[in-house]
Structures are given as C-alpha cells and as structure tokens.
Amino acid sequence: MNLLIRNGKSVVNFVCFMLIVFGGSVHSRGLLSSQDRPKPSNAAPFARWLVSQSSWGVLSTIAEDLGGAPFGNVVSFSDGLPNEGKGIPYFYLTSLDPTARYALKDHRSSFTLSEYPLGTCGKIDPEEPTCSKITLTGKLNELDAKSEEAETAKKALFAKHPDMKKWPKDHSFQVYKLDIEEIFMINFYGGPKPLTVDEYLRSGMKKVTAIM
C-alpha cells in the first residue's frame, strides 16, 4: 500500500481496477439506482416499472391432470424493447413444457413478479411489503406466428434474452401473450394498491418519479 501511495500512477491503476471489478459486478446483476424506482404511492408507474425491469417470474396455469390445481413455472418474459416496455408480458414457450400445454386447454393464468431479484429491496426479506410484488391475472394466449404482434414480441424477447435465439428449432417455441384482466400489487404497508388494468396500461414510464 505504501508503494501505491508513493507512486501516483500505481494509485490510478489500482482505482481503475477496483472500479472495473466492482462496477462490472453491479452491472452484471442488473441493479438499478434509487432514482429509477417510482414512489410506492404512484401505483400505476410503479407497477409498470416493476414489470419492465424484471426479466423472469412465476407463470401459473391450471393443471388439468392435477385435478385443476395451479401449476407454477419459472419463465422468462419481456414487455417490450429496452426502455420501451408496454406493460404486457410476452413469453416464448413450447408445448413440450406443461405451462404451454395447460394454457392451450385452459387460458386462465397468473404471472407473479418480485422486486427482490432487481437488488432494490436491500437486505429485507422478500415477503416484506416494502419489497414489492405484483400478480397479473388474465388469459394466456398463443399469438399467430405470422402476425406483426408476434414478430414485435419476438424482437423484444430476444433483446432481453439473447439465448432464446439458440433454443432448439424442433421444440416449436411460440410467442404467448398474457391478456391482463386483474392486477394485485403490494409495494408498501397497508395492503394491495388499488389499480385497474386501464390505469396500468395508460401509465407511461415518463411519469416515473423518484423514490420516497
């Protein structure tokens, strides 16, 4: 350390090295700065922020072969190109997996996200109300592969999840969309935030304000 202090060039090199190591590790986890997080009281912008910043969640469908029990599955998703999220989750699924098979028979589905993976909850438990969570309930529908919406959704999915491009062609992956009918979100004390689907979809990311 004394050598570093005596040698200004070494100090600069050392600082640069530490910035690369720690700065790179933070970036790789996708952590967000505090000003990116809306106020919990701004329910619609907050919900849109949480969905847009997330990359995976638990998609639950109705399992006919399990007596109609809900079947939850961890899946990747995207709601749009980076910084252009529309709030509607799109998925890249194969009917070789139970989730897609169940959805083709019974479209009723729910999709749950937690803020915890984003790194913005700090050290609190994921079940704490201040570590937000949202469940979008509706119908999971397969899109027409030749439609413009399917092509746009696929670009958004591949932008957030590049590995999807290399998934086996013979698995017949297709784009699915969750048509949202109900929203359940807790992001602070006092129970779920009142939030309609229309309020959620009409809220753009430009309305986001700083954290409380």
Side-chain angles (χ1 to χ4, degrees), residues 59 61 89-91 93 99-100 103-109 138-144 149 174-181:
L59 181 59
T61 47
Y90 291 95
F91 310 90
L93 306 174
T99 296
L104 291 173
K105 294 181 178 180
D106 189 332
H107 299 295
R108 291 176 296 170
S109 308
K139 301 293 194 305
L140 184 62
N141 295 301
E142 180 182 353
L143 296 183
D144 180 350
E149 183 179 13
Q174 300 294 330
V175 178
Y176 287 73
K177 169 187 178 181
L178 181 64
D179 290 307
I180 306 169
E181 298 176 352

Side-chain angles (χ1 to χ4, degrees), residues 27 35 55 72 96 132 146 175 199-200 207 211:
H27 177 73
Q35 64 264 30
S55 61
L96 297 176
S132 63
K146 297 181 180 180
V175 178
E199 290 170 338
Y200 169 78
K207 296 181 181 179
I211 188 173

